[in-house]
Each structure stands twice: as C-alpha cells, then as structure tokens.
C-alpha cells in the first residue's frame, strides 16, 4: 500500500478487510527491508575487524590465540542473525501475545544479577557468568521487553478502534511496567542502560500519541530524579568520577580521565584516511582501555580515519532511516510504537557511545550497536532488527 506521509489517527483504524496472502512473487524475502539488513550486517562485520585489531595482541585476554575475539564476535553475529530470522518467523504480532512471559523472564534475570549469580565487570554488577568464558547482561534484553510491553498496553484500545489515543490510565500503567525493571537495574548500578531505557520510554510515548503532558512530566521527573540520586549518594564512586572527568578532562589525566584522553589521541591521529587496519600505534600499543567494547570506535578513528569512521556513521544512519520508514508505513499503532522504541534506542546509544569516544558525552559503558564486542548486546540488537523486519513483512495489504 502507498506510504503515508503523516501520523494521523485514521491510519490506526482497525483493518477489517482481507489481508492478501504472500505469493511467490511477493514472498517474505522480497518484502524484507534489505538496506537495513545489509547495513546491520556490514556494521557487524566491520566490528569484527575492529575488535580483532584491538585484541589480537592482548595475550592476557586471548590466552595466546590472536583470533579469539574475532571468532567469538563472528559467532555472536551468527547467533544474532539466527535470532533475527526466528523473530521474523514468529512475527511481532505473535510475540505480542508472549509479552507477559518475556517481561516476567526479564524481571527474573535482572533479579538474578543481584544474587550470588551476578558478577561485577568494569564497575557494574550487571552480569551473570554462565561459564566457559560466556556471560549474560540481562539489561540488554530488558530494552526489548520494555518496548514490547509498552507497545502492547498503549496500542491495545487504539488498534481495536475503541480510542483515538491512549488514555491517561493506560499511559500510567505502561510507565509502571517500564519503571520496575529500570529501578532494579539502578540497584546494580547500571546507569548507562537506564539512560537508554529512559530515552526509549520517551520515544514510545511520543509515537503513541499520548498527551504531551506525560512527556514533559517524564522529562521533569528525570531531572528531579537525577538530582535526588546524586544528593542521596546512590551513584558509585566510579560513576561520579566519570562525570567529573567529562566536566574537566584534565582533572586526572592518568586516572579517571585516562580513557577519554587516550581515545581522543587515537581518533585524532587517524587523520583523513587512517593508519590502515592493524597499523594503529595507539591500538597496537594498547593505550586505550576496553577498546574492543566501549571504545571500539577509537580503532576505526585511528586505523580507518575520518573516511572509515564516517562510513560507520553512514551505515548507522541507513539503519535509522529505514527504521523510520517502517514506523511511518505500518498501519497499526503497535508496530509504530515498537519501531519508534527501537529508533530511540539505536539513535541514543550510538550517539552516547561515539560521543564518549570523542569526549562530548560522559563515559557511560554503552556498546556501539552491532560494532562493539559483546554477545548480549549483539543478540538484543539483532532481535530488534527482526522486529523491524516483521513489521514490514506482515504489513497488511489490500487484496
């Protein structure tokens, strides 16, 4: 059906006509959004090279196997693609009925982090160590479940044709369901993930057509909450130090400001074309900590230069652009909300990660989607791509 050019309420009227069956000519493969799929795959493959460059000399991490992180990143990507295929096969509408189960499972997992099963990595007690070198960060999957549970609640009456917009009671209920896991994650503490989730909630509310008073109220509450958390001393010392180093990079250049200073040196040394893959002095000299995860963009800046880094930004832009088209073209509010939540997630997390590498955002311990090393993050973002593809593939058509 032709793309809509606005977000009028009428586009969410229930479709009571027939839905055309997929034919050989109009198959699932033909209806996939190939630009977003190929861009996400390219980002993951580029990430594998950057992770390999950052870790091939780190014998203390690789146990003497230079390809250790390369193979694991490719394995994570492969598993992520399988999860995407499974998500498309199940369909976002089928998952709509499973949201209560997924939400409950997410709560159980993040609560497990607060038990002896949890482990502390890089200052955040946000992991469950499975064994064999594998670990799980449940907060990555909570991003998906928050989007889904809010979409189910906010879209139910609108998609059924009973309301034009979500009412105040429905909005309040959806915020309660979003706040519960966020509150648990703050206890870890994992402030970076909570920041992403707050942006997701804002994106979801804006797409749902809820009253602007809720959005403004949420922003005000967020500011008040940040002041209260700081006043009550709920932040760990390492988090306070990160914000202090952001405010004044020269505060402790050999301590808390070391990461960001070295990151800027690495990116700045790359120039226009970069030093070439595997030829970065900052990278090979291991001057930038956590370079395979939070600071992987510094490898691109140093070894691929402005051109290579710009290409990564271009691919991320394609993902966001196509996701916006999917959100605009769907005929159900549920699909629009899911797509909008994913857009807010990817956009903010990418901006925060690249911003902290450039020194324009505080260090928050967030991976660069598709590029940074990490199984939990990779699985979650590919599930999100599967949801976007499902929204596009299962879009109702006229008979």
């Amino acid at each position: 059906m032709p793309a809509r050019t606005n977000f009028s309420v009428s586009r969410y009227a229930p479709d009571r006509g027939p839905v055309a069956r997929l034919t050989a000519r109009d198959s699932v493969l033909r209806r996939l959004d190939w630009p977003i799929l190929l861009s996400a795959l390219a980002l993951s493959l580029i990430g594998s090279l950057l992770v390999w460059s950052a870790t091939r000399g780190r014998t203390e991490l690789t146990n003497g196997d230079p390809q250790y992180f390369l193979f694991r990143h490719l394995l994570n990507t492969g598993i992520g693609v399988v999860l995407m295929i499974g998500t498309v096969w199940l369909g976002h509408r089928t998952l709509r009925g499973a949201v209560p189960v997924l939400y409950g499972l997410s709560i159980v997992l993040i609560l497990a982090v607060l038990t002896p099963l949890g482990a502390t990595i890089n200052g955040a007690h946000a992991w469950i160590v499975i064994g064999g070198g594998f670990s799980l960060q449940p907060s990555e999957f909570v991003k998906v479940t928050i989007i889904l549970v809010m979409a189910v609640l906010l879209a139910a009456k609108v998609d059924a044709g009973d309301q034009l917009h979500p009412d105040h009671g429905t909005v309040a209920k959806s915020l309660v369901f979003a706040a519960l896991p966020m509150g648990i994650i703050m206890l870890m503490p994992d402030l970076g993930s909570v920041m992403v989730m707050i942006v997701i909630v804002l994106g979801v509310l804006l797409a749902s057509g809820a009253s602007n008073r809720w959005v403004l109220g949420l922003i005000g509450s967020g500011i008040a909450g940040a002041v209260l958390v700081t006043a009550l001393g709920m932040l760990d010392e390492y988090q306070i130090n990160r914000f202090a180093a952001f405010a004044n990079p020269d505060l402790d250049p050999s301590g808390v400001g070391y990461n960001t200073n070295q990151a800027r040196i690495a990116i700045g040394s790359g120039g226009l074309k970069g030093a070439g893959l595997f030829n970065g002095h900052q990278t090979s000299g291991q001057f930038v900590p956590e370079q395979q995860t939070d600071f992987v963009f510094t490898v691109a800046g140093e070894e691929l230069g402005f051109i290579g880094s710009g290409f990564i930004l271009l691919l991320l832009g394609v993902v966001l652009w196509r996701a916006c088209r999917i959100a605009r073209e769907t005929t159900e509010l549920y699909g629009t909300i899911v797509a909008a939540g994913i857009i807010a997630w990817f956009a903010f997390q990418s901006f925060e990660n690249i911003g902290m590498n450039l020194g324009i955002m505080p260090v928050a311990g967030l991976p660069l989607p598709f590029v940074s090393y990490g199984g939990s993050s990779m699985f979650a973002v590919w599930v999100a791509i599967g949801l976007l593809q499902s929204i596009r593939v299962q879009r109702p058509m006229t008979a």
Side-chain angles (χ1 to χ4, degrees):
M1 62 181 300
R4 305 290 182 117
T5 57
N6 58 70
F7 277 77
S8 62
V9 175
S10 60
R11 67 191 291 265
Y12 300 123
D15 183 8
R16 305 194 185 279
V19 177
R21 295 185 179 184
L22 296 177
T23 63
R25 184 177 178 181
D26 191 26
S27 63
V28 172
L29 289 178
R30 287 178 60 87
R31 299 188 70 188
L32 287 175
D33 192 302
W34 285 100
I36 198 173
L37 177 58
L38 294 177
S39 295
L41 188 59
L43 285 167
S44 296
L45 295 179
I46 291 172
S48 68
L49 295 176
L50 299 180
V51 167
W52 187 18
S53 178
T55 58
R56 62 195 182 97
R58 302 289 301 273
T59 55
E60 77 280 7
L61 297 177
T62 64
N63 296 320
D65 181 7
Q67 286 80 38
Y68 177 81
F69 280 92
L70 170 65
F71 291 147
R72 288 173 71 100
H73 189 90
L74 291 173
L75 176 61
N76 290 337
T77 300
I79 295 174
V81 172
V82 171
L83 291 173
M84 179 208 69
I85 294 172
T87 303
V88 176
W89 179 73
L90 286 173
H92 67 292
R93 292 176 187 145
T94 301
L95 289 173
R96 189 173 189 167
V99 165
V101 176
L102 296 175
Y103 181 82
L105 180 60
S106 296
I107 297 296
V108 170
L109 287 174
I110 56 177
L111 285 174
V113 174
L114 302 179
T115 71
L117 295 174
T120 301
I121 300 177
N122 297 331
H125 191 78
W127 303 81
I128 299 175
V129 176
I130 301 174
F134 291 93
S135 57
L136 183 70
Q137 188 178 11
S139 59
E140 291 294 333
F141 303 102
V142 172
K143 297 170 186 175
V144 178
T145 53
I146 283 180
I147 293 172
L148 291 175
V149 73
M150 292 190 71
V152 167
L153 293 171
L154 293 171
K157 294 181 180 179
V158 177
D159 284 339
D162 298 332
Q163 292 180 348
L164 297 179
H165 303 286
D167 56 56
H168 293 304
T170 300
V171 175
K173 184 178 180 181
S174 70
L175 290 176
V176 169
F177 275 90
L180 176 59
M182 289 166 60
I184 298 173
I185 292 171
M186 275 297 297
L187 297 176
M188 296 179 180
D190 186 358
L191 182 60
S193 293
V194 172
M195 288 168 57
V196 176
M197 293 172 193
I198 291 173
V199 173
I200 287 173
V201 171
L202 285 172
V204 164
L205 289 182
L206 286 170
S208 70
S211 172
N212 290 334
R213 286 179 291 180
W214 284 103
V215 177
L216 296 175
L218 188 61
I219 294 174
S221 299
I223 295 173
V227 173
L228 183 62
V229 166
T230 304
L232 295 178
M234 296 177 65
L235 295 179
D236 280 2
E237 183 178 359
Y238 82 96
Q239 293 173 318
I240 297 174
N241 290 339
R242 283 178 174 180
F243 282 104
F246 167 69
N248 182 8
D250 298 325
L251 180 66
D252 187 9
S254 62
V256 295
Y258 178 81
N259 286 33
T260 53
N261 285 333
Q262 294 300 317
R264 288 196 295 270
I265 292 172
I267 293 174
S269 66
L272 180 63
K273 297 181 180 179
L277 196 61
F278 309 127
N279 293 322
H281 294 299
Q282 290 290 114
T283 299
S284 60
Q286 304 173 18
F287 290 104
V288 184
E290 307 302 329
Q291 203 169 16
Q292 74 275 18
T293 52
D294 299 349
F295 289 93
V296 71
F297 191 75
T298 62
V299 185
E302 182 181 25
E303 298 187 349
L304 304 182
F306 179 80
I307 295 176
S309 301
F311 184 64
I312 291 175
L313 292 176
L314 176 64
L315 292 173
L316 288 168
V318 170
V319 171
L320 294 174
W321 163 54
R322 300 302 298 184
C324 287
R325 286 202 60 176
I326 290 171
R328 186 187 67 178
E329 293 175 356
T330 183
T331 56
E332 57 183 3
L333 181 58
Y334 171 67
T336 295
I337 292 176
V338 171
I342 294 171
I343 293 166
W345 165 15
F346 285 5
F348 177 78
Q349 189 161 314
S350 298
F351 176 78
E352 165 60 31
N353 177 275
I354 295 172
M356 73 184 189
N357 277 259
L358 296 174
I360 61 174
M361 291 292 287
V363 176
L366 292 172
L368 184 59
F370 304 102
V371 182
S372 293
Y373 175 78
S376 299
S377 173
M378 186 69 77
F379 302 158
V381 294
W382 275 105
V383 167
I385 293 295
L387 288 169
L388 291 172
Q389 296 287 9
S390 173
I391 294 169
R392 178 176 170 83
V393 168
Q394 297 187 15
R395 191 171 65 213
M397 300 184 304
T398 57

